[in-house]
Amino acid sequence: MSIARVEPLTTARALRGPFDYLIPERLGEIRVGTVLEVPFGRRRITGVVVEIAATSELPPEKLAEPIRVVGTGTNPDLIDLGLWIASEYCSTPARGLGLALPPGTGTGGERTRFRVEKMNSITEAGREALDGGARLGAKQKLALQQLLEGDLNGRQLAARAGIDSTTLKRLGERGLIERRQVHVRRRPEGSGVGAAAANAPELTAAQSEAVDRLVSGLDDPGGGEGVLLNGVTGSGKTEVYLALVEEVLRRGRTAIVLVPEIGLTPQAVGRFQARLGDRVAVLHSALTAGQRFDEWQRLKAGDATVCVGPRSAVFAPLESLGLIVIDEEHDSSYKQEGDPRYDAREVARRRARETGSLLVLGTATPRPESWSRLARIELPDRVDGQSMPPVELVDMREADPRQGPIHRRTWEALAEIREKGEKAIVMINRRGFAPWLTCQTCGHHWGCPNCDVSLIVHRESDQLICHHCNHAETLPRRCPECGGTTLSQTGAGTQRIERLLAEELSPMPVFRLDADTSAGPGGHASILSAFDQEDSAILVGTQMVAKGHDFPEVTLAAILDADATLRFPDFRAEERTFSLVTQLAGRSGRSRAGGRVIVQTLAPGSPSISHAATHDSAGFLAGELDRRRELGYPPFSHLIRIQLAAEAEPDVDSAANLVAARVDDALPAGAELLGPAPMFRARNRYRRRLLIRSTTRAESIAAVHATIEELLADRSLKNITLAIDVDPQ
Ligand code: ADP
Ligand code: ZN
């Protein structure tokens, strides 16, 4: 007797498995990872096998049999990973497992998800018939002649020679052609089909040494802890990854390369495909469901042996994994915002450990966590021997406010760029035209009706828009309170800066890159390529302009509000600011023409900004780690955040107090609870936040998870939305 323990793929609380089923012979091989349709009471549900057992606690006559096998399922090690995520990130087994299963499992019911079509090929009998061995109709003859050159599908035959399906059917019946179903691969857009393998440049001494050290790590991956590849911007980290991946493939193993979210992926993918060709599969959110499914199956079948993509690519169904690379490991997109709130860096660590793979984390701005924990390999210089660009701090506290958001020094530098016919990147980390609209007469200020935040002026659409809930209203011409018509738009966002630059620096082209201009597939890439094609131009935008791309002709990078990210009440504010300023600075001076950087700031003395100005990661991290140690923040503790929201303020208050009391009771030694603290109202809901700071990670997670499950089960938290976030960013 063989028992399958099946976890239902639904988040309904009553259906929390696993449940035992008796495996009948008729279903063929069933193993961990197989997806089944099973009877459940009077219903049929989809579930995945999480364990095969010899016995059940239930007597055999009480055990039902699965109805049928639904799909290919996934690798057993990924089932473990999915269940681990469910418990590590306080989610449900169904959600954790959903990450590990083929795209679309459990959501769409049956349906073949491969795209198939009929291919026609000529048989030996068909060739003889053409040579006069049999009587052929005119259409039949034409069809066979076409097929002499190679296999064709019905659509192609119709287009080339007007062949209809009746003719093909008849030819098939006569045995003159063979017709068979084949899978058609839906290729991701822009994937370099059959692209000629690009040659690797000769590695620099520093790159070779890094590759050698990493290759030796393949034999001894050190329990999956990982190695930090700390290389300044432009130090050629990607070439190191490529050489390492090639070595892994030579050894008959496979590799995953994680890259940050956003439109970056096509560029990163392009470099890998150019070098490794069709062995590379991509998994990212811009794929159609069909493309994603096909790429996933290519990985599962072993047709592709490298997977490149953002965080979810960590679940690529590869066998014999040998390497996981996390490029730009500091990037916040590695943390998923919705349930399950997993951190792909931690998932990668777990997967590397379980599979004996080497984990490599690359960045110019390591996280304090990685810096303090990991062995390091350094690439201290740029590949071309260029020095890092000098950074000039411009103190905006002394600036004349009438000068506007761009300082005189910055204007001078931009004018120089225009004169010399070079390129500049300007960053302001806020989209829209202006962040505040106020009535000059009575002081009325336009806020969002659903959230406690200001509405942002968007000139292009002539609207006021809330950046939290997307509430939008027409830009008013007069004040609803006093009827005044003098309304002032204060502060600056990307739209205003774009306009200012275009006016002052005409005829230089100005391109804007932010969430508004880059929406839609390919939007991001097309703006970057338009900028690339100009001889001399300016790229202005939000933090998107600081990431990933490599334009050698950029000789000026300017950041207008370097400390905007510092003003967030968050212990990671310094870390984030340092990384953003350093990354933006790294866009400048990537060629012989050299380059410079201007940083406008109200806080020139803050460690994140002063160290970024000297490209001093080590100095920044030393100070930051001291500060974290004193405050007891990560990496010296672990955080768990519980967020509650409700439409009525008293409801959320009492729920927060209840949760706080229960969690506090349940917490193990080494953990403390902070809060409840109010958060600003968003999407018409009042919010509260609890924070647990702990040095006993596993016990604290378990305690929080169990307590919340209990409260949810006895319906104490009706009408409350609750989210638990382990390692919140
Ligand atoms: P990073 O990811 O460290 O910022 P990249 O890998 O993007 O750096 O490399 C920066 C630039 O240098 C790229 O244009 C890349 O093609 C080029 N490059 C990298 N290594 C070499 C090398 N060994 N020789 C010549 N060019 C190189
Ligand atoms: Zn809103």
Side-chain angles (χ1 to χ4, degrees):
M1 186 170 81
S2 203
I3 306 292
R5 304 235 145 96
V6 176
E7 187 65 53
L9 292 172
T10 147
T11 49
R13 197 158 285 282
L15 288 179
R16 202 63 68 72
F19 302 111
D20 290 359
Y21 290 86
L22 200 58
I23 304 177
E25 296 240 323
R26 76 183 152 82
L27 288 183
E29 197 205 0
I30 288 181
R31 44 176 194 77
V32 171
T34 304
V35 180
L36 297 171
E37 186 178 41
V38 292
F40 193 86
R42 262 186 255 149
R43 286 195 280 166
R44 299 165 157 223
I45 56 175
T46 307
V48 59
V49 180
V50 294
E51 197 185 331
I52 299 287
T55 56
S56 171
E57 284 174 12
L58 295 172
E61 65 275 12
K62 287 234 164 148
L63 289 175
E65 292 182 0
I67 299 163
R68 63 198 178 90
V69 174
V70 176
T72 50
T74 194
N75 308 357
D77 68 308
L78 286 174
I79 295 296
D80 285 346
L81 199 64
L83 292 174
W84 176 79
I85 285 175
S87 67
E88 186 73 4
Y89 294 99
C90 300
S91 185
T92 63
R95 288 221 170 89
L97 290 167
L99 298 166
L101 288 164
T105 306
T107 54
E110 197 175 4
R111 269 194 286 160
T112 309
R113 286 174 170 269
F114 286 105
R115 181 190 288 172
V116 292
E117 66 182 16
K118 264 202 182 129
M119 278 308 263
N120 305 288
S121 47
I122 189 164
T123 60
E124 209 38 56
R127 285 177 203 277
E128 278 164 22
L130 261 189
D131 288 341
R135 293 243 315 273
L136 288 172
K139 277 269 167 78
Q140 292 183 342
K141 190 167 174 188
L142 205 55
L144 290 178
Q145 280 165 342
Q146 291 292 326
L147 291 171
L148 273 180
E149 290 157 34
D151 297 354
L152 294 169
N153 64 27
R155 208 166 6 90
Q156 291 163 325
L157 280 164
R160 289 187 186 193
I163 310 295
D164 54 41
S165 59
T166 335
T167 308
L168 294 173
K169 195 159 162 242
R170 183 81 193 98
L171 283 170
E173 284 161 3
R174 292 181 62 187
L176 303 181
I177 63 170
E178 192 179 58
R179 317 193 67 200
R180 59 188 199 296
Q181 300 277 4
V182 294
H183 288 166
V184 189
R185 175 174 162 210
R186 289 152 289 192
R187 282 176 181 276
E189 221 104 339
S191 64
V193 182
N199 287 328
E202 196 174 328
L203 296 182
T204 64
Q207 283 172 320
S208 302
E209 197 193 319
V211 172
D212 289 347
R213 285 182 59 190
L214 290 168
V215 164
S216 69
L218 288 173
D219 300 319
D220 175 19
E225 260 321 277
V227 179
L228 179 64
L229 179 63
N230 179 210
V232 296
T233 49
S235 58
K237 294 184 285 297
T238 310
E239 288 302 331
V240 173
Y241 308 147
L242 279 163
L244 190 57
V245 168
E246 283 176 329
E247 177 58 26
V248 167
L249 297 182
R250 265 195 293 280
R251 296 179 177 208
R253 300 181 75 175
T254 62
I256 293 173
V257 180
L258 300 183
V259 294
E261 192 70 65
I262 70 163
L264 252 189
T265 316
Q267 284 166 300
V269 170
R271 268 173 91 176
F272 276 84
Q273 276 177 333
R275 188 72 61 76
L276 302 168
D278 227 16
R279 287 176 289 177
V280 177
V282 297
L283 289 179
H284 59 76
S285 53
L287 300 184
T288 64
Q291 289 167 341
R292 200 194 329 271
F293 181 82
D294 286 356
E295 289 293 274
W296 197 94
Q297 295 295 347
R298 267 178 7 100
L299 290 159
K300 176 89 175 78
D303 296 338
T305 46
V306 180
C307 182
V308 182
R311 61 174 178 268
S312 62
V314 74
F315 302 104
L318 287 163
E319 308 268 7
S320 330
L321 193 63
L323 171 72
I324 306 179
V325 170
I326 306 179
D327 188 24
E328 311 288 2
E329 68 101 16
H330 60 276
D331 197 89
S332 57
S333 72
Y334 287 120
K335 183 80 160 95
Q336 167 136 310
E337 277 176 23
D339 187 6
R341 296 179 170 75
Y342 70 89
D343 188 325
R345 294 164 292 208
E346 291 304 310
V347 179
R349 180 147 79 112
R350 166 99 185 172
R351 194 166 180 199
R353 190 173 77 208
E354 300 295 310
T355 54
S357 305
L358 176 67
L359 177 63
V360 179
L361 298 94
T363 178
T365 55
R367 290 175 298 159
E369 286 88 336
S370 308
W371 186 258
S372 63
R373 191 174 72 195
L374 303 179
R376 280 203 286 276
I377 296 177
E378 315 260 2
L379 294 175
D381 303 306
R382 289 188 158 176
V383 273
D384 51 7
Q386 292 292 317
S387 50
M388 298 304 286
V391 179
E392 181 183 348
L393 293 183
V394 172
D395 189 344
M396 292 300 277
R397 290 171 307 185
E398 289 158 11
D400 179 349
R402 282 167 308 182
Q403 250 188 19
I406 301 178
H407 193 273
R408 186 178 43 80
R409 302 278 311 133
T410 312
W411 278 124
E412 285 164 10
L414 286 164
E416 209 180 305
I417 292 292
R418 180 176 60 176
E419 256 147 54
K420 291 194 182 157
E422 296 173 343
K423 285 186 181 172
I425 295 182
V426 177
M427 179 175 118
I428 175 153
N429 207 2
R430 186 189 298 114
R431 65 197 169 87
F433 187 86
W436 293 286
L437 182 68
T438 36
C439 169
Q440 292 285 53
T441 318
C442 75
H444 174 72
H445 165 247
W446 274 259
C448 175
N450 310 319
C451 313
D452 290 337
V453 297
S454 292
L455 288 171
I456 314 289
V457 178
H458 281 245
R459 282 271 187 96
E460 268 168 10
S461 55
D462 218 24
Q463 282 177 316
L464 283 172
I465 298 177
C466 172
H467 285 187
H468 279 274
C469 71
N470 291 329
H471 164 88
E473 51 192 72
T474 312
L475 194 60
R477 305 285 168 227
R478 62 171 63 233
C479 175
E481 301 293 324
C482 72
T485 51
T486 323
L487 310 181
S488 78
Q489 306 180 347
T490 20
T494 48
Q495 291 181 6
R496 174 170 257 164
I497 301 301
E498 177 192 22
R499 179 183 295 198
L500 278 172
L501 294 173
E503 281 168 4
E504 285 295 316
L505 299 170
S506 145
M508 220 177 160
V510 178
F511 299 94
R512 174 158 63 91
L513 181 64
D514 59 25
D516 297 316
T517 59
S518 67
H524 184 270
S526 70
I527 293 168
L528 287 181
S529 101
F531 176 62
D532 191 23
Q533 269 151 34
E534 296 290 339
D535 291 328
S536 169
I538 298 180
L539 179 69
V540 52
T542 54
Q543 53 179 307
M544 284 182 181
V545 300
K547 296 191 177 184
H549 49 77
D550 181 35
F551 296 118
E553 321 84 60
V554 171
T555 52
L556 171 68
I559 170 165
L560 302 186
D561 54 350
D563 32 35
T565 46
L566 268 184
R567 292 189 286 267
F568 286 104
D570 174 357
F571 78 97
R572 285 188 214 276
E574 293 275 355
E575 171 188 346
R576 218 167 269 148
T577 304
F578 175 78
S579 130
L580 197 54
V581 175
T582 306
Q583 296 291 341
L584 185 82
R587 300 306 125 202
S588 175
R590 289 186 170 219
S591 77
R592 258 164 249 279
R596 59 195 282 211
V597 181
I598 294 184
V599 175
Q600 293 186 186
T601 173
L602 291 166
S606 86
S608 52
I609 290 182
S610 62
H611 283 106
T614 48
H615 307 281
D616 180 14
S617 286
F620 170 72
L621 285 158
E624 182 64 12
L625 279 164
D626 283 346
R627 195 177 69 92
R628 300 271 183 99
R629 192 180 293 111
E630 263 162 44
L631 299 172
Y633 275 123
F636 304 99
S637 68
H638 302 273
L639 299 181
I640 306 169
R641 187 174 68 191
I642 305 173
Q643 214 162 285
L644 301 99
E647 257 166 53
E649 193 157 20
D651 289 354
V652 77
D653 258 332
S654 60
N657 290 330
L658 173 67
V659 171
R662 292 283 189 90
V663 168
D664 204 21
D665 279 347
L667 281 180
E672 71 173 315
L673 179 99
L674 313 169
M679 299 167 68
F680 71 85
R681 187 177 58 111
R683 296 185 168 79
N684 244 327
R685 297 173 78 83
Y686 292 89
R687 303 186 298 162
R688 296 291 182 272
R689 179 160 80 187
L690 305 172
L691 196 63
I692 291 121
R693 189 163 57 185
S694 161
T695 51
T696 43
R697 178 184 177 89
E699 296 87 338
S700 300
I701 293 172
V704 169
H705 199 183
T707 310
I708 301 292
E709 289 276 307
E710 242 169 66
L711 287 168
L712 289 172
D714 74 12
R715 304 192 47 74
S716 311
L717 298 174
K718 261 192 321 199
N719 304 328
I720 306 285
T721 334
L722 185 145
I724 309 173
D725 194 350
V726 177
D727 304 330
Q729 290 298 300

